[in-house]
Structure formats: structure tokens, C-alpha cells
Amino acid sequence: MTQKAESHVFQAEVQEVLSLVIHSLYTERDIFLRELLSNASDALDKLRFEALTHADWLPSGETLGIALQANPDARTLSIADNGIGMDHADLVSNLGRVASSGTRKFVEALKEAKSEGSPELIGRFGVGFYSSFMVADRVTVETRRAGSDEGWRWESDGKGEYTVEPAPGLARGTVITLHLKPVEDDDHDYTQEWTLRDIVSRYSDFVEYPIQMEVERSKPKLDDEGEPIEGEYETQRELETLNSMKPLWTRPKADITSEEYADFYRHHTHDWMPPLDTIHFKAEGTLEFTALLFLPAQRPMMMGEGQNPKSKLSLYVRRILVQRECEDLLPAWLRFVRGVVETSDLPLNVSRETMQNNRQVAQIRKGLVRKVLEAMGKLLKDDREKYEAFWKHFGWTFKEGLYFEHGDQQVAVAGLCLFEHSSESGWKTLAEYKEAMPEGQEAIYVLTGQDRATVEASAHLESMRRKGYDVLFLVDPVDEWVLERLTEFDGTPIRRLDQADLDLSSDADKDVLKKKQETASDLLKCLAASLGERVQEVRFTDRLAESPAVLVEAAGAMSAHQARMLRHAGQDIPEPKRILELNPDHALVQGLQKLHKADAQSPRIADFAELLFDGALLREGGAPQDPAKFQKLLTELMLASLK
């Protein structure tokens, strides 16, 4: 007597839960295949483990694997495995109750039995299977459990009910057939070879079992002697393996050649250049993970920053890709590092798209950062030329760590930074700068600007050259923000040359400057009045040697260079009020003093004030507030000199 199909109602308010799975849980529809392949891999793992005590369940010589079969005409896609399979109770328990995972129960049972050598399984939440309904309007599961002669067929449209009926004659394992929804404009066609091949390559390339599919290929016809017949072809069907099954990071470092590392890097990043350095290690202890990281040799052409720069590491859990760019694994200032991290200990949320346990993630992140910094430190020490080439591409990104990190971590980052400097071309670390400081120098002096040419021509360097002090050039956009946090290195303060409170004078020099300022106080007030809101003060300085004037920043004020960058980025930043410092020993300033003494009301004093201010502004990379007026004044001055 033939047994009739049983109809069952889903448990756990299935319509609401399925709606969540189908419409909200996953952000990409392609994920369904990753989930089903993951489940198939788990089933194969279970069989392999159970066969240790039930040898007849896995005959000698049988190959374990997963097969995909697509039928474009019938609009079906099947995923088959010859794993552990399911019986009637498994089907009702595992597929009839959302979030009831057979895998989770299996793992819990192994823990209770304290089994050794248990497989690492990823399907722990019992909802991955239901992602099938994102792309299918009906799903059929045919399965027979190892050790049983009874096969079963499960079927549902995901709307509240499912049926279970006997299915005699099935082989051991499971076949899931998706009756696919019609293809819409923005959908992938999951019956097409290239679509399936791409998804497998992206998400399941390192599953340790072969994922195979029968494909059609056009090949030359052969004659009776097996030679190709010119111009004649025939369509043949052949079985192809879609995944590489070669997770390089699981192999011992000693067994991997540099060429293999380079090939993996190119495959993973699509960067045609070999990596500059490879970091391959396994962390053991309470939290185990393996990492294969690469320092690129140059900035990739397509390395867009976007609005949310983040880590480029891929996270695998038991060889299944969980997140392609997992921003929690490395801080954004190390986003140039590429590679993969695999762990079997990390709890995931139900969609496997974000990580759940921040404490464990923080442990992995800490270990990865430490290893990257160690590798960079070794490269800096052992191959300075390579490190400097690397720094030109990624130094501006790495320096963001000086702003975002604190304490020992900031110190470690600071020790690996390179800076251009005034004494010669090339680069210096902060430690090298400090070691070369002459006796009597009490600070590390820095100057920011838009590029080396601008800062190298700065009037601020005049006093440094006179004293024989070197100056570090900070010309990356991030440097203005870095200096808000990096205020000292190894106990030595870091001082900006463009700050008004820079103190480089002896007491005797200060007394001389004070007397000169008192003598010219009326002129200085007149100049300040002419410039109005553009300046906070006009005063004499002894920081200049050849130049007549320089602009400096008041204590606590935003630098002019930073304000210019923010305005260039579209922010409405007002011009900061500057302090105009004049060289009292310069012939131009002394001529102004004579002019003011002869005629304090001369309109030429205001003109000279404008020219001095705008000239100093131009020299630091700025632009006159009124270019037309600046040109007019300059023209009049030149004409007057020719009379």
C-alpha cells in the first residue's frame, strides 16, 4: 500500500519568520547558494565523522562532493550532496521548524559526548536553508539518511505549509531542487553557468569538497584515428569543478613558495603587481584564527576611498566566506592591507553577514594589528628602500592611526612614520630626527603645507636655518589633524613653526625686540587698523632673517592651511584671524617706519599693509582676498619705482 504525503504546518509563526528571512535577513540574493553549499559541506563533514564508527556508511573509494544542475527550460536549480542525509524525523524537525538547526543539535550532542576530532560546522542557526525562498517559489528536498533504506521528499512554497512523503530508490544524501522565480530586469539568472560559477568563486571557492557542474563545451570533431577534423565541431557535456578547494592559508608556511603567495594575492585582489610583503601566521590559545595578509607594493588603481573607508580583509568561517570586506578586523588606517582571516570560533549573527561577539573580534583585531606593525617595522629596518617606496603609496593612510590611536598604540604607529625634512631630500623617522638634534634643541619642529615646494620656500624656515635646526615637512592633508593628537614623541615636544607662541629667543634678544616694538607701536597699530578683521595683531618678530613679513596662528586657532582644505571640501569655514609679524631689520619695514614718521596719515601705509599681508599669504600657499586689488597695488608700486 502506497503511503500518502503528509501535510504539516510550519512551526514558530513561520509566515512572519520566513518573511524576515526572505526580505530582511540577507542583503544579497546570491547568498542563498552560499548557504545551501555550506549546508551540503556540513552534511559531508557529518558523514565523514560518523563513518569513523560506521564504516559501511562510507564505502572505500567513494568520493564526497557537491553537484549543481541547472535546467534553464524548466527554470530549476538543484544542489546535491552525498553526505549524511536526513530521515523523516530530521525533515520534520529541521525543515519544519524555522531556526531549529540539525547542525546545532549535532554539535551540541558531540560536546555532551566529549567527542574528539569533530568536524567544524558553520550552519548553527537553522535559517540558511530558507534563503532559498528569496529566489524560488517552490523548493523540493529529496533525501535518504546514511544507514537507512527509506528515502523522503519534502516540499513547500514557503507560505505556511509543507508536505513530506516517501521517495523510494534514492541514493544516500540530499538533493535540493529550487523552482526558480521568473528573472526580472535586475535579477541574476541562476540557471546560467557564468552566474553560478561567479557565486561559487566569490563565496565557496575554498570549500574542501569539489563543487561540480556539468557544462556544455564546443570541441572539434575527431576522425576515426582520433585526429581533429578541420572546421567541424560538436557540443559535448563534461563535468567541471567550480571551486579551487585550495585555501593556501591552511598550509604550513614552509611548504608555500613565494610564487604561490603571489598567485593567491593576484587571485584575491586582482592586482597584477606581486605583494611587497606577506604576513602568514596562526594564532593559538583561547581564540584560534589563521591570517594570510599582504602589504601591496603600490596603491591599486581602483582603490576608491568612498565615504566609508574600511578594512579590505575577507573573513572566512570554516572555509566559507562570511564577509568580503570585514571592517571590524582592522582599523581604517590599515585599509591598504589585503588578505583573509579564517576562524572556527567566532559566533555570527543569523545571516552570517556581521559579527556578533565584539570581545572576540577585538582579540582578533588586536592580534592582526600587532602582526602588521611588526612586519612594517621589520621592513623598515631590513629594507629601507622598499619601505620608502611603500610609504609613498600608503603613508598618508597609515598616519591616520596617529589621530585615532592612543597610548602605546599611537607610539608604535609614530615610530613607523616617515617624514620629509628641510636639511636634505629623503625621509626621516621621528627617532632619526631626534637622534640628530643638535645640543640645545628642545623640540621637534614641524611645518605643514600643501606640498614640499611650498613649505621649503616658507619664511618660517629662516630662523631654523640660522640655528642649524632641521624641520619635518608635513604635507599630507591628514597631517593637520594628526598634529592635534601627536604633541610629543619619546618625551620631546612637537612644535609647529607657524604658531604665534613659538619661543626661540634668548632673554637678551627679547628685550631688544621689545624696545623696537615700543618705538614703532604707532606704526604697528596703524597697519593693524588698515587690515581690520583680517588680523588679530601686527607685531615685530625675530623669527625672520631675509623676509619682511610672515603670518602666524594665534594660540588655539585653526591653521590657515586646515581652513583652506575644509573650504576646498565644501565646508563654510570663515577666514581665521591671523597675526602679521614683521621683520624690524628689513629695509622695507624700516622704510615704512620713516614714511609713518614723516606722514602718519599717508594712504600708502594702508597699501603697504595690504601688500605685506597678501605677499605673506601667497608665500604660504594662500591667495589674496581681493586679487584685483592686489594686482592694482603692485602695479602702482612698480610704476612709482620707475619714476
Side-chain angles (χ1 to χ4, degrees):
M1 180 177 177
T2 304
Q3 187 172 342
K4 295 182 178 180
E6 306 169 0
S7 294
H8 298 261
V9 177
F10 280 114
Q11 303 286 321
E13 299 178 335
V14 71
Q15 292 188 34
E16 288 79 9
V17 177
L18 278 178
S19 178
L20 174 67
V21 172
I22 296 169
H23 301 294
S24 305
L25 188 59
Y26 295 96
T27 57
E28 295 185 30
R29 290 160 61 89
D30 294 352
I31 294 296
F32 85 91
L33 187 55
R34 180 192 72 180
E35 296 297 310
L36 296 182
L37 292 173
S38 173
N39 290 343
S41 176
D42 287 351
L44 295 169
D45 281 339
K46 291 178 185 179
L47 176 67
R48 192 168 61 179
F49 181 78
E50 292 287 359
L52 296 176
T53 53
H54 300 84
D56 57 316
W57 287 10
L58 183 58
S60 177
E62 181 178 353
T63 300
L64 298 179
I66 304 168
L68 301 181
Q69 184 175 0
N71 187 329
D73 296 328
R75 297 287 305 148
T76 61
L77 171 65
S78 296
I79 300 93
D81 69 76
N82 56 342
I84 192 73
M86 290 179 281
D87 57 21
H88 181 277
D90 292 331
L91 283 173
V92 174
S93 177
N94 298 338
L95 303 189
R97 183 178 294 111
V98 178
S100 174
S101 172
T103 297
R104 181 173 56 192
K105 291 178 180 177
F106 181 73
V107 171
E108 289 172 354
L110 291 176
K111 287 181 179 179
E112 290 178 6
K114 297 183 179 179
S115 300
E116 296 182 0
S118 58
E120 296 178 330
L121 308 171
I122 191 171
R124 303 196 176 206
F125 293 94
V127 296
F129 167 78
Y130 298 98
S131 63
S132 306
F133 291 104
M134 292 193 297
V135 299
D137 49 28
R138 184 160 54 93
V139 177
T140 302
V141 179
E142 295 181 314
T143 183
R144 178 171 71 81
R145 200 180 198 286
S148 172
D149 295 328
E150 295 182 322
W152 297 92
R153 181 180 294 107
W154 179 100
E155 191 167 85
S156 176
D157 60 7
K159 295 179 180 178
E161 292 186 351
Y162 64 92
T163 61
V164 179
E165 62 180 327
L170 297 181
R172 184 201 70 237
T174 301
V175 180
I176 299 174
T177 301
L178 310 183
H179 302 267
L180 298 168
K181 297 176 181 178
V183 178
E184 298 183 1
D185 293 339
D186 58 345
D187 288 345
H188 289 160
D189 186 348
Y190 298 109
T191 65
Q192 297 301 308
E193 176 193 339
W194 69 268
T195 300
L196 299 174
R197 188 182 293 274
D198 175 64
I199 297 172
V200 171
S201 176
R202 276 189 288 135
Y203 292 111
S204 305
D205 193 48
F206 303 119
V207 170
E208 64 179 302
Y209 304 101
I211 301 172
Q212 297 181 312
M213 182 170 65
E214 197 175 63
V215 298
E216 290 186 351
R217 294 288 182 264
S218 179
K219 294 193 173 184
K221 278 188 175 181
L222 303 179
D223 58 23
D224 294 339
E225 297 180 357
E227 296 296 325
I229 302 174
E230 186 176 353
E232 294 190 31
Y233 295 87
E234 61 182 355
T235 299
Q236 297 180 7
R237 299 189 66 82
E238 57 186 41
L239 202 61
E240 283 195 9
T241 299
L242 307 184
N243 60 323
S244 70
M245 299 179 289
K246 296 178 180 178
L248 193 69
W249 61 85
T250 63
R251 292 166 52 189
K253 290 172 59 176
D255 297 344
I256 305 174
T257 66
S258 58
E259 290 77 15
E260 287 178 303
Y261 277 129
D263 287 343
F264 179 86
Y265 173 77
R266 281 190 287 267
H267 170 79
H268 181 72
T269 66
H270 307 293
D271 182 1
W272 63 274
M273 288 285 290
L276 182 72
D277 197 15
T278 301
I279 308 166
H280 187 188
F281 69 98
K282 182 174 183 179
E284 298 179 333
T286 55
L287 179 65
E288 295 187 356
F289 65 92
T290 301
L292 177 54
L293 313 179
F294 300 94
L295 298 183
Q298 63 181 20
R299 189 169 183 261
M301 292 182 63
M302 300 303 290
M303 186 179 170
E305 292 300 304
Q307 296 298 314
N308 182 30
K310 59 184 180 180
S311 163
K312 300 296 189 295
L313 298 188
S314 297
L315 174 66
Y316 284 80
V317 175
R318 306 166 194 92
R319 298 194 182 184
I320 303 296
L321 177 66
V322 171
Q323 207 165 359
R324 181 161 294 280
E325 293 186 351
C326 186
E327 59 187 295
D328 297 310
L329 287 177
L330 279 179
W333 51 271
L334 288 177
R335 58 188 175 274
F336 53 82
V337 179
R338 310 301 292 272
V340 299
V341 176
E342 182 186 20
T343 180
S344 59
D345 297 330
L346 192 65
L348 307 173
N349 75 359
V350 287
S351 72
R352 304 182 194 165
E353 292 180 339
T354 56
M355 287 175 290
Q356 193 177 49
N357 191 314
N358 289 331
R359 183 184 61 81
Q360 290 182 304
V361 173
Q363 281 184 268
I364 295 177
R365 179 186 177 113
K366 184 177 180 181
L368 294 175
V369 171
R370 185 181 70 254
K371 286 292 187 178
V372 171
L373 296 184
E374 287 176 358
M376 290 179 61
K378 187 175 187 303
L379 190 63
L380 173 62
K381 180 181 177 182
D382 296 344
D383 197 331
R384 182 63 173 256
E385 185 178 351
K386 270 190 177 182
Y387 190 84
E388 289 183 1
F390 163 80
W391 187 261
K392 290 177 183 178
H393 290 288
F394 302 106
W396 60 275
T397 305
F398 183 76
K399 281 192 289 185
E400 292 175 11
L402 296 172
Y403 181 86
F404 289 108
E405 299 299 331
H406 305 275
D408 292 343
Q409 190 81 301
Q410 188 194 61
V411 172
V413 173
L416 295 171
C417 290
L418 297 181
F419 303 91
E420 294 185 271
H421 54 104
S422 61
S423 64
E424 58 187 23
S425 61
W427 305 83
K428 275 187 178 180
T429 65
L430 289 170
E432 290 166 346
Y433 177 97
K434 186 174 176 180
E435 185 179 359
M437 284 169 49
E439 187 176 352
Q441 183 177 341
E442 298 178 351
I444 297 170
Y445 295 106
V446 301
L447 187 60
T448 64
Q450 63 188 27
D451 51 44
R452 182 186 176 100
T454 300
V455 294
E456 202 164 27
S458 172
H460 290 290
L461 294 179
E462 293 175 10
S463 60
M464 297 291 105
R465 294 193 183 103
R466 187 169 54 199
K467 290 179 174 292
Y469 293 173
D470 197 6
V471 176
L472 298 180
F473 294 158
L474 277 68
V475 294
D476 289 321
V478 70
D479 290 331
E480 287 286 349
W481 284 268
V482 163
L483 290 175
E484 294 178 9
R485 299 287 178 86
L486 187 67
T487 57
E488 62 90 25
F489 177 76
D490 193 23
T492 302
I494 295 175
R495 300 296 308 276
R496 299 179 57 133
L497 291 185
D498 57 3
Q499 295 300 295
D501 59 355
L502 187 71
D503 186 6
L504 296 171
S505 304
S506 65
D507 291 340
D509 290 338
K510 290 177 184 176
D511 289 339
V512 172
L513 184 65
K514 183 178 180 182
K515 290 177 181 178
K516 291 178 180 179
Q517 179 134 333
E518 289 173 351
T519 302
S521 61
D522 290 341
L523 169 64
L524 298 176
K525 289 177 183 177
C526 181
L527 294 172
S530 299
L531 293 170
E533 290 298 313
R534 301 178 73 183
V535 296
Q536 181 175 312
E537 182 185 359
V538 179
R539 68 190 187 189
F540 281 165
T541 183
D542 60 359
R543 74 170 78 208
L544 299 173
E546 297 89 19
S547 302
V550 70
L551 289 166
V552 298
E553 316 296 349
M558 177 184 293
S559 76
H561 178 53
Q562 187 174 18
R564 281 192 289 270
M565 287 193 297
L566 292 172
R567 281 195 297 274
H568 184 71
Q571 297 192 36
D572 186 16
I573 303 296
E575 286 284 352
K577 294 180 71 171
R578 314 292 297 281
I579 296 175
L580 178 63
E581 292 192 344
L582 304 178
N583 180 359
D585 299 324
H586 196 279
L588 178 56
V589 177
Q590 292 178 348
L592 265 176
Q593 288 180 269
K594 292 177 182 178
L595 175 61
H596 182 267
K597 187 175 182 180
D599 182 5
Q601 304 302 317
S602 173
R604 294 180 64 196
I605 295 176
D607 292 343
F608 278 112
E610 292 277 350
L611 288 170
L612 284 168
F613 185 94
D614 286 343
L617 197 62
L618 280 167
R619 189 165 181 180
E620 69 178 18
Q625 192 176 58
D626 188 343
K629 183 179 180 182
F630 176 77
Q631 185 184 33
K632 180 175 180 292
L633 291 174
L634 194 59
T635 302
E636 291 174 352
L637 181 64
M638 289 189 291
L639 287 172
S641 69
L642 294 173
K643 292 180 181 178

